[in-house]
Amino acid sequence: MKKKQVHNFNPGPSALPLCVLEEIQESFLDYQYSGMSIVEISHRSRWFEGVLNDAVDRLKRLLKLDERFHVLFLQGGASLQFCMVPMNFLKAGDTADYVNTGLWSAKAIKEAQLQGKSIHIVASSEDRDFSYIPQKIPYNEGSTYLHFTSNNTIRGTQFREFPESAHIPLVADMSSDIMSRPFDVSPFGFLYGGIQKNLGAAGACLAIIRKDFLERVPETLPTMLSYRTHASKNSLFNTPACFSIYTAQLVLKWLEETIGGLEQMASINQKKAQMLYGVLDESGFYNPTAEPDSRSLMNITFRLSIQNLEAKFIQEAEMSGFYGLKGHRSVGGCRVSIYNAVTISSVAALVDFMKTFERKYG
Ligand SMILES: *Cc1c(COP(=O)(O)O)cnc(C)c1O
């Protein structure tokens, strides 16, 4: 097959498993003998309903969700959820707690504040430039939910353990680590994440909502902005992001059948991260930016001790076939995103490149 395969470390949209891309290519012109492409058929056809229901079933199995949880595929990205979460779950007089661990958390906070909702920022890592995850979050008794960002894509920090919040339900933006490891969904009222990092092609946003949270949603919201609408219609109130959901179905099938589930995925992800942090820790040339106990297994962020070599590092990496290593424009530096689909062999090749680069310029 004619496909230019590079080592893809893009932060999102990002690498997909090669076998998934091949399956899309093979079935693209004729989806399951329908004589039509998956992008040409009705979202209400048996073909697409099969895709959607299979994606939902696989998600439920992988995350061990019980019947209290609805799985939705929405549009507007994680960014629209920043606004929909407070709109749907906070009535007059309700308050919510937010943890600020970087740009994405701050955007979620801003959208709640814009609506005049009563929220408290109960913990923040701004004091040390968002290089860590605050421990022991001092949540407020009586809050409707505690919102946090499970993995900070830009800063390279990640919650190892989710906040302890007793009976206050958790709400999380899991855009950049959903389905990268197993976790207990039961403390969550709601969680969400864009498809484009760990799950498939951009377009859809995965959301998981617990029934008691669905009951909080006011009847008066605009129809499209109400989680009730999408839950009652199984994500088919209007035309969903069909192609994106299709790619997610194939990635979930790969995760379940080829990888073998979330435990196996997590151990592969741990191995990849250890290989990279190993190089960073051994060297005085590369300096990791996240504090050790807060390091992300998905986005490894670092600076070069000679900062004016960073552009050269990124450029030589590209010439050697390593893509996507530039840090987010808001922070600079370098970032290696190693989502589920990035292989151990790609990481091993990058490790070799980094060691060679250090010998050459360090
Ligand atoms: C990428 C990302 C987003 C933005 O997602 P969109 O789908 O583009 O709205 C939000 N939160 C986190 C943690 C992200 O990594």
Side-chain angles (χ1 to χ4, degrees), residues 125-271:
S125 53
E126 195 168 8
D127 58 340
R128 295 205 298 278
D129 203 21
F130 299 111
S131 60
Y132 69 103
I133 297 291
Q135 300 299 311
K136 294 250 175 295
I137 312 287
Y139 62 90
N140 290 299
E141 290 295 337
S143 281
T144 299
Y145 61 80
L146 170 65
H147 182 281
F148 68 102
T149 313
S150 56
N151 182 71
N152 298 283
T153 325
I154 297 171
R155 298 292 180 163
T157 62
Q158 185 178 27
F159 280 83
R160 288 285 152 80
E161 309 281 339
F162 294 147
E164 285 287 334
S165 65
H167 53 276
I168 313 283
L170 299 175
V171 171
D173 173 5
M174 296 199 178
S175 292
S176 52
D177 67 353
I178 185 115
M179 308 312 280
S180 69
R181 55 180 174 175
F183 66 96
D184 176 16
V185 184
S186 52
F188 287 87
F190 186 75
L191 62 92
Y192 59 98
I195 294 289
Q196 67 272 21
K197 282 152 191 163
N198 258 331
L199 275 173
C205 176
L206 169 67
I208 298 175
I209 185 165
R210 205 171 64 194
K211 285 201 173 118
D212 57 309
F213 258 55
L214 202 52
E215 281 152 19
R216 299 192 69 84
V217 178
E219 296 287 355
T220 51
L221 291 183
T223 311
M224 275 297 284
L225 297 179
S226 165
Y227 290 125
R228 211 190 276 273
T229 304
H230 301 289
S232 68
K233 300 289 188 206
N234 186 30
S235 307
L236 293 173
F237 172 73
N238 70 325
T239 317
C242 297
F243 182 70
S244 174
I245 296 169
Y246 168 58
T247 62
Q249 181 224 354
L250 297 180
V251 171
L252 290 162
K253 184 171 103 181
W254 167 81
L255 200 49
E256 206 176 15
E257 295 176 8
T258 307
I259 299 296
L262 292 179
E263 312 271 341
Q264 286 81 349
M265 194 70 254
S267 77
I268 295 169
N269 286 333
Q270 245 151 23
K271 171 143 196 232

